[in-house]
Amino acid sequence: MSDKQINYAADRKYAESHEWVKLEGDLAVIGISDYAQDQLGDVVFVELPSVGAMLTAGKNLGVVESVKAASDVFAPISGKVEAINDALKDSPETVNKDALGAGWFVKIRPSNAAEMDKLLDAATYQKKIEAGEIH
């Protein structure tokens, strides 16, 4: 991990696999955590699903490639993809610059609202990382 200050935004939920979810109206925005992008290093490619694809919680959503490794990205909740962040095709480094903002991956229409209850709040997510319970 770098010396950079990690941002654990309190306005979203986190999966132990390091994806975040933020509800915006009836859509859920999904990306990877600031901690995850910091661990990956320089992101050089992002593969996202197609608009209209159905995502299942815990299943593959896409791939992030960095100078260190390629990592699967998992859907923290289930739902239909309503939008993808096309800007990441030309500027994957946006994930490093603003993982919790402009570096979002997909917007989905959740199909099971109860899945949000299984995710971690920011304080619990941070505590588990600092305790070494999740890597």
PDB file of all heavy atoms in Angstrom, residues 45-62:
ATOM      1  N   PHE A  45      -6.386  -0.659 -17.917  1.00  0.00           N
ATOM      2  CA  PHE A  45      -7.504  -1.161 -18.729  1.00  0.00           C
ATOM      3  C   PHE A  45      -8.644  -1.548 -17.805  1.00  0.00           C
ATOM      4  O   PHE A  45      -8.430  -2.100 -16.730  1.00  0.00           O
ATOM      5  CB  PHE A  45      -7.063  -2.388 -19.543  1.00  0.00           C
ATOM      6  CG  PHE A  45      -8.143  -2.990 -20.380  1.00  0.00           C
ATOM      7  CD1 PHE A  45      -8.544  -2.394 -21.574  1.00  0.00           C
ATOM      8  CD2 PHE A  45      -8.774  -4.157 -19.988  1.00  0.00           C
ATOM      9  CE1 PHE A  45      -9.550  -2.954 -22.349  1.00  0.00           C
ATOM     10  CE2 PHE A  45      -9.775  -4.732 -20.749  1.00  0.00           C
ATOM     11  CZ  PHE A  45     -10.163  -4.120 -21.936  1.00  0.00           C
ATOM     12  N   VAL A  46      -9.871  -1.260 -18.262  1.00  0.00           N
ATOM     13  CA  VAL A  46     -11.062  -1.657 -17.513  1.00  0.00           C
ATOM     14  C   VAL A  46     -12.026  -2.304 -18.496  1.00  0.00           C
ATOM     15  O   VAL A  46     -12.333  -1.728 -19.537  1.00  0.00           O
ATOM     16  CB  VAL A  46     -11.745  -0.444 -16.840  1.00  0.00           C
ATOM     17  CG1 VAL A  46     -13.019  -0.881 -16.123  1.00  0.00           C
ATOM     18  CG2 VAL A  46     -10.796   0.237 -15.865  1.00  0.00           C
ATOM     19  N   GLU A  47     -12.468  -3.511 -18.186  1.00  0.00           N
ATOM     20  CA  GLU A  47     -13.468  -4.216 -19.000  1.00  0.00           C
ATOM     21  C   GLU A  47     -14.785  -4.189 -18.242  1.00  0.00           C
ATOM     22  O   GLU A  47     -14.845  -4.600 -17.080  1.00  0.00           O
ATOM     23  CB  GLU A  47     -13.031  -5.665 -19.235  1.00  0.00           C
ATOM     24  CG  GLU A  47     -14.028  -6.477 -20.038  1.00  0.00           C
ATOM     25  CD  GLU A  47     -13.588  -7.928 -20.141  1.00  0.00           C
ATOM     26  OE1 GLU A  47     -12.466  -8.181 -20.603  1.00  0.00           O
ATOM     27  OE2 GLU A  47     -14.379  -8.800 -19.729  1.00  0.00           O
ATOM     28  N   LEU A  48     -15.828  -3.689 -18.905  1.00  0.00           N
ATOM     29  CA  LEU A  48     -17.130  -3.549 -18.267  1.00  0.00           C
ATOM     30  C   LEU A  48     -18.175  -4.367 -19.008  1.00  0.00           C
ATOM     31  O   LEU A  48     -18.003  -4.671 -20.192  1.00  0.00           O
ATOM     32  CB  LEU A  48     -17.540  -2.078 -18.249  1.00  0.00           C
ATOM     33  CG  LEU A  48     -16.607  -1.137 -17.471  1.00  0.00           C
ATOM     34  CD1 LEU A  48     -17.036   0.306 -17.654  1.00  0.00           C
ATOM     35  CD2 LEU A  48     -16.583  -1.513 -15.999  1.00  0.00           C
ATOM     36  N   PRO A  49     -19.292  -4.697 -18.357  1.00  0.00           N
ATOM     37  CA  PRO A  49     -20.364  -5.441 -19.031  1.00  0.00           C
ATOM     38  C   PRO A  49     -21.103  -4.522 -20.009  1.00  0.00           C
ATOM     39  O   PRO A  49     -20.888  -3.311 -20.035  1.00  0.00           O
ATOM     40  CB  PRO A  49     -21.264  -5.865 -17.876  1.00  0.00           C
ATOM     41  CG  PRO A  49     -21.065  -4.796 -16.851  1.00  0.00           C
ATOM     42  CD  PRO A  49     -19.616  -4.389 -16.976  1.00  0.00           C
ATOM     43  N   SER A  50     -21.997  -5.098 -20.786  1.00  0.00           N
ATOM     44  CA  SER A  50     -22.817  -4.321 -21.724  1.00  0.00           C
ATOM     45  C   SER A  50     -24.040  -3.767 -21.021  1.00  0.00           C
ATOM     46  O   SER A  50     -24.545  -4.376 -20.063  1.00  0.00           O
ATOM     47  CB  SER A  50     -23.286  -5.212 -22.872  1.00  0.00           C
ATOM     48  OG  SER A  50     -22.197  -5.762 -23.541  1.00  0.00           O
ATOM     49  N   VAL A  51     -24.528  -2.638 -21.522  1.00  0.00           N
ATOM     50  CA  VAL A  51     -25.802  -2.111 -21.026  1.00  0.00           C
ATOM     51  C   VAL A  51     -26.878  -3.155 -21.318  1.00  0.00           C
ATOM     52  O   VAL A  51     -26.908  -3.741 -22.398  1.00  0.00           O
ATOM     53  CB  VAL A  51     -26.138  -0.767 -21.702  1.00  0.00           C
ATOM     54  CG1 VAL A  51     -27.555  -0.324 -21.356  1.00  0.00           C
ATOM     55  CG2 VAL A  51     -25.121   0.289 -21.300  1.00  0.00           C
ATOM     56  N   GLY A  52     -27.708  -3.409 -20.344  1.00  0.00           N
ATOM     57  CA  GLY A  52     -28.760  -4.417 -20.476  1.00  0.00           C
ATOM     58  C   GLY A  52     -28.399  -5.757 -19.854  1.00  0.00           C
ATOM     59  O   GLY A  52     -29.261  -6.596 -19.652  1.00  0.00           O
ATOM     60  N   ALA A  53     -27.105  -5.956 -19.564  1.00  0.00           N
ATOM     61  CA  ALA A  53     -26.669  -7.210 -18.945  1.00  0.00           C
ATOM     62  C   ALA A  53     -27.264  -7.326 -17.541  1.00  0.00           C
ATOM     63  O   ALA A  53     -27.497  -6.320 -16.872  1.00  0.00           O
ATOM     64  CB  ALA A  53     -25.149  -7.261 -18.869  1.00  0.00           C
ATOM     65  N   MET A  54     -27.517  -8.544 -17.129  1.00  0.00           N
ATOM     66  CA  MET A  54     -27.997  -8.795 -15.766  1.00  0.00           C
ATOM     67  C   MET A  54     -26.809  -9.221 -14.917  1.00  0.00           C
ATOM     68  O   MET A  54     -26.072 -10.130 -15.291  1.00  0.00           O
ATOM     69  CB  MET A  54     -29.068  -9.892 -15.754  1.00  0.00           C
ATOM     70  CG  MET A  54     -30.377  -9.473 -16.399  1.00  0.00           C
ATOM     71  SD  MET A  54     -31.174  -8.055 -15.590  1.00  0.00           S
ATOM     72  CE  MET A  54     -31.492  -8.717 -13.958  1.00  0.00           C
ATOM     73  N   LEU A  55     -26.630  -8.556 -13.792  1.00  0.00           N
ATOM     74  CA  LEU A  55     -25.552  -8.893 -12.867  1.00  0.00           C
ATOM     75  C   LEU A  55     -26.125  -9.648 -11.681  1.00  0.00           C
ATOM     76  O   LEU A  55     -27.237  -9.370 -11.237  1.00  0.00           O
ATOM     77  CB  LEU A  55     -24.858  -7.620 -12.363  1.00  0.00           C
ATOM     78  CG  LEU A  55     -24.240  -6.708 -13.424  1.00  0.00           C
ATOM     79  CD1 LEU A  55     -23.608  -5.493 -12.751  1.00  0.00           C
ATOM     80  CD2 LEU A  55     -23.216  -7.451 -14.256  1.00  0.00           C
ATOM     81  N   THR A  56     -25.344 -10.588 -11.189  1.00  0.00           N
ATOM     82  CA  THR A  56     -25.726 -11.360 -10.010  1.00  0.00           C
ATOM     83  C   THR A  56     -24.724 -11.080  -8.900  1.00  0.00           C
ATOM     84  O   THR A  56     -23.508 -11.122  -9.147  1.00  0.00           O
ATOM     85  CB  THR A  56     -25.726 -12.872 -10.330  1.00  0.00           C
ATOM     86  OG1 THR A  56     -26.631 -13.105 -11.406  1.00  0.00           O
ATOM     87  CG2 THR A  56     -26.143 -13.689  -9.115  1.00  0.00           C
ATOM     88  N   ALA A  57     -25.221 -10.774  -7.719  1.00  0.00           N
ATOM     89  CA  ALA A  57     -24.349 -10.481  -6.583  1.00  0.00           C
ATOM     90  C   ALA A  57     -23.308 -11.577  -6.404  1.00  0.00           C
ATOM     91  O   ALA A  57     -23.650 -12.763  -6.411  1.00  0.00           O
ATOM     92  CB  ALA A  57     -25.168 -10.321  -5.310  1.00  0.00           C
ATOM     93  N   GLY A  58     -22.056 -11.159  -6.280  1.00  0.00           N
ATOM     94  CA  GLY A  58     -20.965 -12.095  -6.059  1.00  0.00           C
ATOM     95  C   GLY A  58     -20.367 -12.665  -7.334  1.00  0.00           C
ATOM     96  O   GLY A  58     -19.347 -13.349  -7.288  1.00  0.00           O
ATOM     97  N   LYS A  59     -21.005 -12.399  -8.474  1.00  0.00           N
ATOM     98  CA  LYS A  59     -20.498 -12.900  -9.760  1.00  0.00           C
ATOM     99  C   LYS A  59     -19.718 -11.804 -10.479  1.00  0.00           C
ATOM    100  O   LYS A  59     -19.862 -10.617 -10.199  1.00  0.00           O
ATOM    101  CB  LYS A  59     -21.655 -13.380 -10.645  1.00  0.00           C
ATOM    102  CG  LYS A  59     -22.489 -14.473 -10.021  1.00  0.00           C
ATOM    103  CD  LYS A  59     -21.711 -15.753  -9.914  1.00  0.00           C
ATOM    104  CE  LYS A  59     -22.619 -16.866  -9.354  1.00  0.00           C
ATOM    105  NZ  LYS A  59     -21.899 -18.099  -9.118  1.00  0.00           N
ATOM    106  N   ASN A  60     -18.930 -12.222 -11.464  1.00  0.00           N
ATOM    107  CA  ASN A  60     -18.057 -11.304 -12.191  1.00  0.00           C
ATOM    108  C   ASN A  60     -18.835 -10.175 -12.869  1.00  0.00           C
ATOM    109  O   ASN A  60     -19.848 -10.418 -13.513  1.00  0.00           O
ATOM    110  CB  ASN A  60     -17.259 -12.109 -13.215  1.00  0.00           C
ATOM    111  CG  ASN A  60     -16.198 -11.277 -13.879  1.00  0.00           C
ATOM    112  OD1 ASN A  60     -16.523 -10.440 -14.702  1.00  0.00           O
ATOM    113  ND2 ASN A  60     -14.956 -11.469 -13.501  1.00  0.00           N
ATOM    114  N   LEU A  61     -18.338  -8.989 -12.715  1.00  0.00           N
ATOM    115  CA  LEU A  61     -18.902  -7.796 -13.342  1.00  0.00           C
ATOM    116  C   LEU A  61     -17.977  -7.309 -14.453  1.00  0.00           C
ATOM    117  O   LEU A  61     -18.422  -6.780 -15.460  1.00  0.00           O
ATOM    118  CB  LEU A  61     -19.060  -6.722 -12.264  1.00  0.00           C
ATOM    119  CG  LEU A  61     -19.508  -5.312 -12.583  1.00  0.00           C
ATOM    120  CD1 LEU A  61     -20.044  -4.660 -11.345  1.00  0.00           C
ATOM    121  CD2 LEU A  61     -18.420  -4.468 -13.174  1.00  0.00           C
ATOM    122  N   GLY A  62     -16.688  -7.487 -14.274  1.00  0.00           N
ATOM    123  CA  GLY A  62     -15.714  -7.006 -15.236  1.00  0.00           C
ATOM    124  C   GLY A  62     -14.305  -7.312 -14.762  1.00  0.00           C
ATOM    125  O   GLY A  62     -14.117  -8.119 -13.841  1.00  0.00           O
TER     126      GLY A  62
END
